[in-house]
Amino acid sequence: DVQLQASGGGLVQAGGSLRLSCAASGFPFDAYAIGWFRQAPGKEREGVACIGASDGSTYYLPSVKGRFTISSDNAKNTVYLQMNSVKPEDTAVYYCAADAPYYCTEYGMSPLEYWGKGTQVTVSS
């Protein structure tokens, strides 16, 4: 069965960096897209970034573009979200999700079917 385990969250000061990891198992990793979503208290969940493991296509939420980088290590079945220059508004629970087939391009990302538990990211001002 599909399993996704997000880790790497924590408390970081504004302007700092954090790297989230999503370890995946139970599906053909290189045929799926892996995405990062976040949900802050009182706000709707939003897609932050995704990567197509087979073709490397990526999408970024406009508010994180240029600060966050998503990457994939297919040998380790792991996707990373490098978060630089973080802001207090990046505070949220971050989730990774996966699905195939998928839509993940510079113009947007599709909803994903399989979800892991979240990891809390808190950015202090």
Side-chain angles (χ1 to χ4, degrees):
D1 53 335
V2 175
Q3 293 192 6
L4 299 160
Q5 181 63 55
S7 61
L11 175 64
V12 60
Q13 287 189 333
S17 297
L18 207 59
R19 189 176 80 158
L20 305 184
S21 299
C22 176
S25 62
F27 61 94
F29 184 82
D30 58 2
Y32 277 57
I34 306 289
W36 286 97
F37 294 77
R38 68 186 181 187
Q39 188 163 23
K43 295 187 177 181
E44 293 188 356
R45 187 176 62 199
E46 59 183 357
V48 176
C50 69
I51 184 166
S54 63
D55 58 9
S57 59
T58 58
Y59 163 80
Y60 293 96
L61 183 69
S63 62
V64 308
K65 201 169 185 179
R67 300 188 296 121
F68 292 8
T69 301
I70 191 169
S71 61
S72 175
D73 186 336
N74 288 17
K76 295 182 178 180
N77 283 12
T78 300
V79 167
Y80 304 97
L81 184 68
Q82 179 67 43
M83 306 167 61
N84 297 332
S85 303
V86 296
K87 303 176 181 180
E89 50 264 44
D90 295 322
T91 294
V93 178
Y94 283 71
Y95 302 86
C96 61
D99 205 355
Y102 60 84
Y103 177 79
C104 175
T105 76
E106 61 181 301
Y107 305 109
M109 59 187 290
S110 58
L112 302 178
E113 178 72 18
Y114 305 102
W115 291 78
K117 293 182 179 179
T119 185
Q120 175 71 47
V121 172
T122 302
V123 182
S124 63
S125 56

